[in-house]
Amino acid sequence: MAISRIILGVTGGIAAYKTPALVRRLKDRGVEVQVVLTRSAREFVTETTLQAVSGLPVRDNLWDKETEAAMGHIELARWADLVLIAPATAEIMSRLASGSAPDLLTTLCLATEARIAIAPAMNHVMWVKDAVQENRRRLEERGVHILGPDDGDQACGETGPGRMVSPDDIVASLLGPAAAHPVLSGKSILITAGPTYEAIDPVRYITNRSSGKMGYALAAACQEAGADVLLVSGPVSISPPVGVKVLPVQSAADMHAAVHAHLDGADIFVGAAAVSDYRVADISRDKIKKSGDDLSIALAQNADILASVAALSDGPFTVGFAAETTHLREHALAKLEKKKADMIVANLVGKDLGFDTDDNAVDVYWKGGEQSFSKRDKAMLARDLTTLIVERHLEHSHTAMTAELPATMVRD
Ligand code: C5P
């Protein structure tokens, strides 16, 4: 059975500092990760970090009424396809072997029917002790999957068996090796993200509520899939994904210019930015002073970046976004047609979805097809959208290629 939901139990060893990286690797492979900390694990790694990387509140307490009400520990034990304990101390091995369940993690291990895997990590003298080895054997006999430990330098300055297996190796043993040829390898992708600032005067501007999270998540997902990604980004307060080049811009006009200056060779263009449709027609050189009860500012329409890219004769595959408050389908299909984009990703804004939130639900439209994605966190959604973009892009390139061939050479 494919593993898509893992409970990651973190116990109190120095190797716990590697668990945020482990969570990232698992998430990169599309796995949902619920972290469960033991009390001593908190001495080595913070709940804040693990919550940020996993995208789920960390669980640590069997007696917390609020978290138990949201998903009780029995339900959580059934939710998982696998319980992974990394690092696993001598103490947790002993508890698992004896079947004692004084806290949430050990209770989950008893209550689950899912497979259990542990990655032991401890001082090498502890690891070879009879008591620990006896527990290891008992666990193995009961079907617990033991990963490692590795042999080598230890945090205590000594050398020997007891190092936790690396996050990459843990993921490879549980899920198999990552695909050797990422689907977007060799592809170049240009993504716009964030809002634009349209200056009124030297101190004021018009903007919108975009946080940039969706565009940044897409950049991360495309990069994970092997693409060379350039983000043309309006002003945001989030950090770009590691390895993604960012070109910061302010206004819609700046964004338009930056996009067209870097479009050469791009295979895919994703317009995830919430571009201001209008700019101030006449930006005041000096700060506008308060005078009178009303103030009117004339606006002029900005060029449509997405439409201008879609209009290029040998341009990239184009993906646009449509954030709407009503009539999602109608507006999205109208945009697909008007802007001549290859795909439109549409979402309702308001009701805790869309702008400035961590979750999003979208409907995607293209000529002759559509697909809905229910509410999920933006990182997960970005991976799902990337898969669909790759599929549609391949289909589109195939159609374009066969259209150019003489009819006798085209086969089904
Ligand atoms: O028309 P609307 O602004 O709702 O269209 C949204 C889509 O068009 C987004 O993909 C956005 O990035 C893009 N857009 C653009 N240039 C504009 C306005 C919108 O590229 N001036």
Side-chain angles (χ1 to χ4, degrees):
M1 186 184 70
I3 296 172
S4 60
R5 293 163 167 181
I6 290 184
I7 290 174
L8 172 63
V10 182
T11 66
I14 181 72
Y17 82 89
K18 297 179 186 166
T19 51
L22 175 58
V23 175
R24 275 293 304 265
R25 304 284 193 285
L26 289 168
K27 299 265 301 178
D28 288 347
R29 298 285 296 271
V31 175
E32 274 185 84
V33 183
Q34 170 65 63
V35 177
V36 175
L37 289 179
T38 62
R39 200 180 335 161
S40 50
R42 292 178 162 281
E43 301 293 324
F44 299 93
V45 68
T46 71
E47 182 182 329
T48 318
T49 311
L50 288 165
Q51 177 160 328
V53 288
S54 69
L56 289 175
V58 166
R59 301 276 300 252
D60 62 355
N61 188 348
L62 191 52
W63 310 111
D64 186 306
K65 286 200 186 73
E66 221 171 274
T67 46
E68 277 294 302
M71 194 200 270
H73 62 275
I74 298 293
E75 229 179 309
L76 180 57
R78 293 198 180 130
W79 168 90
D81 299 319
L82 176 88
V83 178
L84 165 66
I85 303 180
T89 56
E91 168 73 12
I92 189 86
M93 289 177 67
S94 162
R95 286 182 178 181
L96 293 183
S98 69
S100 76
D103 61 10
L104 178 61
L105 181 58
T106 43
T107 306
L108 287 169
C109 288
L110 279 189
T112 192
E113 285 178 340
R115 245 178 72 203
I116 298 178
I118 65 170
M122 66 197 74
N123 170 273
H124 65 108
V125 180
M126 289 168 77
W127 174 248
V128 297
K129 274 276 149 65
D130 287 348
V132 173
Q133 287 305 311
E134 210 172 294
N135 287 333
R136 177 188 63 74
R137 269 191 300 278
R138 282 166 75 189
L139 291 173
E140 230 163 9
E141 279 160 13
R142 288 189 214 141
V144 173
H145 189 43
I146 317 264
L147 302 159
D150 278 344
D151 205 316
D153 293 341
Q154 299 211 289
C156 53
E158 297 174 11
T159 305
R163 280 166 61 95
M164 187 176 88
V165 179
S166 75
D168 282 334
D169 288 346
I170 292 177
V171 174
S173 346
L174 298 175
L175 309 178
H181 298 292
V183 283
L184 285 173
S185 145
K187 299 283 178 201
S188 165
I189 303 192
L190 203 160
I191 300 177
T192 65
T196 60
Y197 282 3
E198 307 300 324
I200 298 172
D201 65 18
V203 293
R204 304 177 178 104
Y205 53 78
I206 298 171
T207 191
N208 57 60
R209 291 166 57 111
S210 168
S211 62
K213 283 179 188 165
M214 194 65 237
Y216 277 52
L218 268 169
C222 290
Q223 207 232 3
E224 268 165 37
D228 183 20
V229 184
L230 175 66
L231 248 181
V232 176
S233 174
V236 295
S237 54
I238 52 175
S239 307
V242 177
V244 167
K245 292 180 280 281
V246 185
L247 208 64
V249 295
Q250 296 265 321
S251 66
D254 296 343
M255 188 174 272
H256 185 279
V259 164
H260 283 277
H262 293 86
L263 209 52
D264 211 21
D267 299 285
I268 298 172
F269 170 77
V270 182
V275 185
S276 176
D277 288 330
Y278 292 90
R279 67 183 178 280
V280 174
D282 207 355
I283 302 169
S284 174
R285 261 187 12 164
D286 298 314
K287 183 178 171 191
I288 300 171
K289 305 307 286 179
K290 190 165 26 180
S291 68
D293 287 342
D294 303 316
L295 172 70
S296 296
I297 298 174
L299 301 178
Q301 202 175 109
N302 279 324
D304 193 299
I305 306 169
L306 175 63
S308 69
V309 175
L312 297 171
S313 58
D314 58 349
F317 182 81
T318 50
V319 182
F321 276 71
E324 306 293 342
T325 51
T326 60
H327 301 94
L328 189 63
R329 190 165 198 280
E330 261 170 79
H331 289 310
L333 289 174
K335 245 162 237 186
L336 186 70
E337 175 57 31
K338 186 166 171 234
K339 300 190 186 220
K340 305 276 181 250
D342 295 306
M343 247 171 81
I344 288 284
V345 181
N347 67 297
L348 280 174
V349 283
K351 295 187 204 141
D352 300 331
L353 284 173
F355 288 146
D356 216 358
T357 61
D358 290 327
D359 292 327
N360 210 354
V362 300
D363 293 333
V364 186
Y365 301 91
W366 61 91
K367 215 172 166 186
E370 57 186 84
Q371 189 169 334
S372 290
F373 294 89
S374 58
K375 184 175 169 178
R376 61 200 74 181
D377 89 77
K378 283 181 176 170
M380 188 74 83
L381 179 62
R383 289 193 195 101
D384 296 336
L385 284 176
T386 302
T387 307
L388 181 61
I389 291 171
V390 171
E391 270 171 37
R392 299 307 320 150
H393 172 50
L394 281 176
E395 173 78 25
H396 182 264
S397 322
H398 176 73
T399 314
M401 228 171 72
T402 49
E404 281 167 15
L405 294 175
T408 48
M409 290 179 68
V410 180
R411 290 213 201 125
D412 284 340

